[in-house]
Amino acid sequence: MELTNHYLHKRPYRKKSACPRENRFVVGLMEAGLSASSDTYWNAFGYEIGGPVCYGYVRWILDEIERSHPDITDVLFVARDGWLLKQVFDMLPHPPSLKTHYIYAPRTMNLLCQDEETHAAYRQYLAGQGLGSGTLAVVDTATMKFSSQRLIDSSTEQKTRGFFWLTLDGAKDYGASLSYSAYQSAHYHTIRCWNMMEFIMTSPEPPIRTMEGSKPVYRSANAFEAQRSAIFSQIEKGVLAFADEIRKEGSFPVLSNRFVTEWVNAFQVNPAPEDLSAFESTMFSEREDHSDNIPLDPFGQKR
């Protein structure tokens, strides 16, 4: 695919890359998919940044399963980061015997499931998801304590295999008894502003406090959650448009973590005026209960 001028005129730093083959492919998709004048900023952001992020990670998971884990029958995308990842996965060609599920496994449930009755209810919730009899793939993003995989692993007789973007320092202490793979080899955030990744991938649901039977119980949405939910549908549309453009291409290349990291970091250090404007008042929460409200600031303007 030949590189064209429209996108590279806007993002001239994309002309050079440590991963030229992958860069050439993705820049070509940018030229094909970012030409619609009716796109909103967040739609275009979803296509340009969220698309490579979600597709790259999901394509790696599928490749890992196909090459090394034929025993996996079900892929469990953990709420809330698994919302878009599941949709992208479902768009890619995969064996019809491989089923996907969106599963609630909030961190607080590990503590609550120390109560036998609560744990029995959670086991019943998993049993009602129509899971197959093989190994369960548990998909999440960044982890240190493996809370989602540990909860699912302790709540079913089936084997689990975790798939994570990265496992942070300390993972060896919590994941020693678990089977898992990581998209990124380094045990620290190589994305300059990881909060932006959470901003892209997290579902429009408020944070989950607990489960009542098969239903999640949400925390009250704060100002950040309300703001992000309002623009999420536009980001989602852009991400799925990117995956659909690849589906039309029909080649489905694996995008290395090195390339996706470079792609995101280059955006974060080379913002255009419209990028700065769009993120100027965008807020984020780093706490599990979302009690804080801080600037997302992916470009480091307020640090």
Side-chain angles (χ1 to χ4, degrees):
M1 182 180 292
E2 294 185 3
L3 298 185
T4 48
N5 293 323
H6 179 77
Y7 177 72
L8 292 179
H9 178 74
K10 177 183 178 183
R11 309 284 196 198
Y13 55 87
R14 300 291 194 200
K15 294 176 183 178
K16 295 182 179 181
S17 172
C19 308
R21 181 178 299 180
E22 293 161 282
N23 190 66
R24 180 175 293 272
F25 179 80
V26 174
V27 167
L29 291 174
M30 293 302 117
E31 188 68 25
L34 290 176
S35 59
S37 60
S38 60
D39 283 352
T40 66
Y41 175 83
W42 293 114
N43 189 337
F45 171 79
Y47 188 96
E48 181 184 8
I49 306 302
V53 163
C54 294
Y55 169 81
Y57 181 35
V58 163
R59 184 65 186 87
W60 168 80
I61 293 169
L62 183 55
D63 187 58
E64 284 284 299
I65 292 173
E66 291 180 337
R67 286 192 302 106
S68 305
H69 304 287
D71 54 313
I72 289 175
T73 56
D74 297 81
V75 186
L76 280 53
F77 291 90
V78 174
R80 298 185 294 152
D81 291 356
W83 177 276
L84 264 179
L85 299 177
K86 180 183 184 304
Q87 293 185 68
V88 172
F89 190 100
D90 289 341
M91 294 176 70
L92 304 185
H94 58 271
S97 59
L98 198 60
K99 308 300 182 185
T100 61
H101 312 264
Y102 183 65
I103 296 291
Y104 293 100
R107 278 172 282 185
T108 53
M109 285 303 295
N110 271 308
L111 179 61
L112 294 173
C113 281
Q114 293 180 17
D115 174 75
E116 186 61 35
E117 186 175 343
T118 302
H119 202 179
Y122 190 79
R123 289 193 189 99
Q124 187 174 9
Y125 160 70
L126 283 183
Q129 300 307 305
L131 305 178
S133 58
T135 298
L136 307 177
V138 180
V139 177
D140 212 336
T141 52
T143 190
M144 184 178 73
K145 296 186 177 181
F146 293 82
S147 58
S148 57
Q149 187 180 358
R150 286 192 294 113
L151 175 60
I152 293 168
D153 194 72
S154 69
S155 303
T156 176
E157 297 299 318
Q158 294 166 249
K159 294 180 180 178
T160 64
R161 175 83 186 183
F163 292 89
F164 303 95
W165 185 291
L166 78 154
T167 59
L168 295 165
D169 273 343
K172 61 182 181 297
D173 300 321
Y174 296 95
S177 64
L178 298 172
S179 172
Y180 63 91
S181 301
Y183 185 37
Q184 174 186 300
S185 59
H187 298 291
Y188 55 87
H189 289 300
T190 57
I191 301 291
R192 293 174 63 89
C193 177
W194 177 260
N195 285 349
M196 193 185 80
M197 304 284 277
E198 299 278 355
F199 182 79
I200 291 168
M201 289 186 277
T202 306
S203 78
E205 305 164 282
I208 303 162
R209 179 166 57 84
T210 187
M211 299 281 295
E212 287 186 356
S214 62
K215 303 295 184 183
V217 178
Y218 298 109
R219 299 181 187 275
S220 298
N222 63 13
F224 151 69
E225 290 290 340
Q227 178 198 41
R228 200 183 66 81
S229 293
I231 63 177
F232 181 83
S233 62
Q234 299 172 61
I235 295 177
E236 179 181 43
K237 181 180 177 182
V239 170
L240 299 183
F242 180 87
D244 190 54
E245 197 65 40
I246 287 186
R247 184 164 57 180
K248 293 174 184 176
E249 290 279 332
S251 58
F252 305 102
V254 174
L255 300 182
S256 66
N257 180 264
R258 180 186 184 188
F259 168 74
V260 176
T261 299
E262 175 190 84
W263 185 266
V264 174
N265 285 346
F267 170 78
Q268 292 183 351
V269 299
N270 295 283
E274 60 265 33
D275 302 319
L276 294 171
S277 176
F279 279 95
E280 173 63 28
S281 60
T282 304
M283 307 300 288
F284 191 77
S285 179
E286 294 182 325
R287 296 179 182 172
E288 184 179 356
D289 63 0
H290 285 217
S291 59
D292 60 338
N293 208 20
I294 62 175
L296 177 56
D297 189 26
F299 312 117
Q301 300 293 302
K302 301 176 183 180
R303 298 172 197 170

